[in-house]
Amino acid sequence: MLVDCGPGGVYHTFLRPYLEDLGMPVQLELAMVSHIDQDHILGLLQLTSEILRADPGDVVPAEIERFWFNSFSDLTGGADNPNLSSVENSVTAAIEGGHAMPFEALRDAEDHRAEMILAGLGQGRGLRDNLVELGLDGNRPFGGTLVLAGKEAELPGDLHILVTGPSAVRATELQQHWNPDLDPAEIAAMADNRIANLSSIVAILTHEGRTVLVTGDARGDDILEGLHEHAGKTPGMPMHFDVLKAPHHGSDRNVDQDFFEQVTADTYVFCSDGTHDNPDPETLEWLHAARPGGGFNIVFSSFIQMEHSHKQPRFNDALRALEDSGVTIGARRPSELAIRVQL
């Protein structure tokens, strides 16, 4: 199973060489994009594009059996909207041609975030088109519907997947807020404020009694609600997993101390390297406050680089406090393609 594949550079520098080491073509029962954001979607866009470009007889990096992806147009109900299609097509053409975004409203430096969001939409459109061409669209085995909370799947190898987010209520809210006459800047704002946090696929993976909670960029309160509604979590009581993928790279906008008190794990995985202040030191402080006795692991997907962050002293202090309490901290070394979490 392959979940999200990082921003630009990750696929060619790390993922593809890792697939080569595993022995191509790697058989993937499921590939999944948690939500539309270029730091989650781009690697899988590049992987599916390489598969499509392959000549007969070429060894492709992977053979994918099924793919889960809630595209922006499917989430908003705007699949047939010409304005959205025009924006997606224009962004896709700009990305492929290495040009600036084709919208006057987004030319200023302060609109860089909007450009990034629209880039994610364009990449999402490209991925959606790739999946159609590969015969992987439709979110099998869910009959062409969105991947929403309450759905379950059994994959070969005894992997059980229970989806706990996004909720059908959230999907309906997104569709109600969708306006087919939005301009590019407004579409970017909607995608940033609603799509990333409210539509991330959250799922519990269970194999031979071991559990992993993957969270995308979901909000902590939505994760807790989904676990209560669909996984039997008792409100106010902790639910434990072998591995928790921290939401939104460890951003303090998505979690708080209460979240870490209610969702515990043997290993916390942060898909971040310290740049862009992810993880935020506040997040590490909340984790420490929630579990002051230590006895767990923290794994960073990349070597931590906080040298240019004004938060570095506080970040270092938070890590030191965790280590002093008995927490084991690991990170992928710069020379390594991956870091393994032993269950």
Side-chain angles (χ1 to χ4, degrees):
M1 180 177 177
L2 191 61
V3 181
D4 295 343
C5 287
V10 169
Y11 176 69
H12 292 292
T13 306
F14 300 104
L15 179 56
R16 196 185 191 286
Y18 186 69
L19 295 175
E20 290 178 3
D21 286 351
L22 292 176
M24 301 193 313
V26 175
Q27 303 299 310
L28 293 175
E29 292 296 336
L30 173 65
M32 183 182 91
V33 171
S34 62
H35 67 287
I36 305 159
D37 205 340
Q38 65 172 355
D39 63 341
H40 292 253
I41 198 172
L42 184 54
L44 281 168
L45 173 61
Q46 293 170 325
L47 171 60
T48 54
S49 295
E50 181 173 350
I51 294 172
L52 280 173
R53 290 195 306 267
D55 293 324
D58 286 350
V59 177
V60 295
E63 294 178 351
I64 305 171
E65 181 64 27
R66 55 186 66 77
F67 204 112
W68 292 356
F69 174 47
N70 293 336
S71 72
F72 183 82
S73 54
D74 290 333
L75 282 164
T76 60
D80 299 321
N81 177 257
N83 186 39
L84 176 58
S85 296
S86 176
V87 170
E88 290 177 330
N89 289 336
S90 297
V91 171
T92 301
I95 293 170
E96 292 176 349
H99 307 305
M101 288 295 154
F103 307 114
E104 289 293 339
L106 302 181
R107 293 286 166 80
D108 296 331
E110 59 266 26
D111 290 315
H112 177 64
R113 175 61 182 168
E115 288 195 358
M116 291 178 62
I117 295 297
L118 288 178
L121 298 188
Q123 291 157 358
R125 173 63 178 266
L127 177 59
R128 190 170 183 262
D129 292 344
N130 283 359
L131 297 180
V132 170
E133 194 168 348
L134 290 168
L136 290 171
D137 57 317
N139 290 329
R140 287 185 286 127
F142 303 137
T145 59
L146 292 170
V147 180
L148 295 175
K151 296 188 176 182
E152 298 183 70
E154 293 282 348
L155 300 187
D158 297 323
L159 176 62
H160 177 263
I161 304 176
L162 171 63
V163 180
T164 61
S167 69
V169 171
R170 289 299 195 200
T172 299
E173 288 177 356
L174 291 171
Q175 291 170 2
Q176 289 174 343
H177 280 88
W178 170 247
N179 180 344
D181 297 321
L182 294 177
D183 65 29
E186 291 169 326
I187 290 174
M190 178 180 180
D192 192 17
N193 296 330
R194 297 183 179 276
I195 295 296
N197 289 341
L198 304 186
S199 69
S200 285
I201 297 175
V202 180
I204 301 171
L205 319 178
T206 304
H207 179 259
E208 296 183 351
R210 302 293 189 179
T211 55
V212 177
L213 180 64
V214 293
T215 59
D217 283 359
R219 268 184 2 203
D221 56 342
D222 284 332
I223 295 171
L224 292 175
E225 182 178 342
L227 293 176
H228 168 61
E229 292 291 333
H230 303 284
K233 182 186 181 301
T234 301
M237 297 296 293
M239 176 172 274
H240 189 77
F241 298 91
D242 290 285
V243 177
L244 165 64
K245 201 289 291 181
H248 206 171
H249 316 285
S251 171
D252 61 7
R253 293 176 296 170
N254 290 64
V255 295
D256 54 18
Q257 182 176 330
D258 179 67
F259 175 81
F260 288 121
E261 290 173 349
Q262 296 201 49
V263 181
T264 62
D266 293 333
T267 300
Y268 299 81
V269 175
F270 290 86
C271 296
S272 52
D273 64 359
T275 56
H276 308 297
D277 295 327
N278 283 332
D280 284 296
E282 292 87 344
T283 299
L284 299 178
E285 292 167 354
W286 290 327
L287 176 55
H288 183 213
R291 301 189 63 184
F296 56 90
N297 308 306
I298 292 177
V299 173
F300 295 101
S301 64
S302 297
F303 181 73
I304 296 300
Q305 305 174 66
M306 292 290 290
E307 291 84 355
H308 303 294
S309 171
H310 69 283
K311 293 186 177 183
Q312 183 183 3
R314 187 172 178 180
F315 180 87
N316 292 342
D317 289 344
L319 279 185
R320 190 175 301 110
L322 285 162
E323 287 182 313
D324 290 344
S325 69
V327 175
T328 301
I329 298 175
R332 180 187 59 77
R333 296 183 179 91
S335 60
E336 296 174 331
L337 295 177
I339 184 167
R340 183 182 297 271
V341 176
Q342 190 69 39
L343 299 181

